[in-house]
Amino acid sequence: MIRLFGHILTSLGSKVLIALSGLALAGFVVFHMLGNLQVFQGPDALNSYAALLRDMPIALWTVRLTLLAIVAAHIAFSVRLAIDNHRARPVDYVTHRYRRASLASRTMALTGSLLVLFIVFHLVHLTAGWLDPSLHNRLDVRGHRDVFGNVVHAFQNPVLVVIYLAAQAALGLHLSHALSASFQSLGMEHPMLDRLFRGAGPLIAILVVVGNTAIVLAIAFGLVHA
Ligand code: HEM
């Protein structure tokens, strides 16, 4: 047990935990985007889907609390690894040589921090409905919470459109590097697997960003409306 904790506290252990927690969060993001695409099928589909999730309170809260614990672990181990890496560097580089590092890998801390801010804002906005409580509690004709109406109302506001699109840029950059790096941290270093996963990260990131952006822009341009 003590050995296991010792291993977790090493940077290799931290990398594995960051990779595993990151993959779980990426899984949620893909699943969430696929669920949200039901906005294109109209109010019935999206509101019934949201009601289905809310009708299983034990499962819903188990998933919510698990996600929260995973996010907390992901942030804690990432900060720890960044501090360890910084300490391990004998002198600060005077000039930064970024020739081989991609934009995504250089901006992981920035995009990760922006995503945390976005998630807090997003929960306040669409899950808690604190920006407009009267709208949040509105029901549709079937008596379900009108999640479709909330989402459509949100993206008719240009400020919210900009916030959500900016979040997609941060999400895309973070995911594209994180997924490929996770597979490497998990020791999948075979040349063929390496090539596959290097391509899979950006591909999944693009699909998620395109899916989410399509929702925001389709509403902003009136293709989907209440
Ligand atoms: C255009 C993009 C997005 C749309 C339209 C959207 C829509 C929604 C909606 C409508 C809810 C509330 C569901 C309900 O009240 O039943 C929600 C909850 C949530 N969203 Fe998003 N979302 C988007 C992007 C994201 C992203 C990028 C993340 C994470 C990085 C995220 C994380 C969450 C979380 C954690 C919840 C709380 C789930 C729960 O209720 O337990 N969302 N989203």
Side-chain angles (χ1 to χ4, degrees):
M1 197 66 179
I2 292 172
R3 280 184 118 202
L4 178 70
F5 276 118
H7 181 63
I8 287 175
L9 291 179
T10 64
S11 77
L12 183 67
S14 297
K15 275 190 175 180
V16 170
L17 287 177
I18 294 169
L20 289 175
S21 53
L23 287 176
L25 295 175
F28 166 79
V29 169
V30 171
F31 181 77
H32 189 49
M33 183 269 293
L34 292 174
N36 287 336
L37 284 178
Q38 293 181 72
V39 86
F40 290 106
Q41 289 176 275
D44 252 11
L46 189 67
N47 293 349
S48 308
Y49 168 68
L52 183 80
L53 298 181
R54 295 229 172 191
D55 282 349
M56 301 185 286
I58 296 181
L60 181 66
W61 277 102
T62 308
V63 172
R64 281 177 170 172
L65 293 176
T66 308
L67 270 179
L68 191 66
I70 294 175
V71 169
H74 190 74
I75 296 172
F77 282 106
S78 302
V79 170
R80 203 201 127 88
L81 187 67
I83 293 173
D84 283 354
N85 286 345
H86 188 74
R87 283 202 187 127
R89 218 166 51 188
V91 254
D92 255 355
Y93 300 119
V94 179
T95 50
H96 296 274
R97 286 169 185 263
Y98 288 140
R99 241 180 311 151
R100 294 201 63 215
S102 64
L103 175 71
S105 73
R106 278 184 278 132
T107 52
M108 287 304 275
L110 175 67
T111 52
S113 308
L114 290 175
L115 282 176
V116 171
L117 289 179
F118 166 73
I119 291 169
V120 172
F121 174 78
H122 184 52
L123 292 180
V124 165
H125 172 218
L126 283 177
T127 299
W130 291 343
L131 295 193
D132 193 343
S134 62
L135 193 80
H136 187 68
N137 295 323
R138 223 173 36 187
L139 302 179
D140 67 10
V141 284
R142 292 185 174 206
H144 293 145
R145 264 183 60 245
D146 190 13
V147 176
F148 177 89
N150 283 340
V151 173
V152 167
H153 185 260
F155 301 134
Q156 285 171 343
N157 178 339
V159 177
L160 290 174
V161 169
V162 170
I163 292 175
Y164 275 77
L165 291 183
Q168 295 316 308
L171 180 66
L173 279 174
H174 199 80
L175 264 185
S176 69
H177 176 70
L179 286 170
S180 313
S182 299
F183 294 121
Q184 264 182 3
S185 300
L186 295 175
M188 301 187 188
E189 302 246 21
H190 186 279
M192 220 176 77
L193 283 179
D194 188 51
R195 222 172 314 138
L196 185 74
F197 291 131
R198 261 179 209 280
L203 184 70
I204 295 172
I206 288 170
L207 288 178
V208 169
V209 170
V210 168
N212 282 340
T213 303
I215 297 171
V216 176
L217 292 183
I219 295 170
F221 287 108
L223 300 175
V224 172
H225 48 83

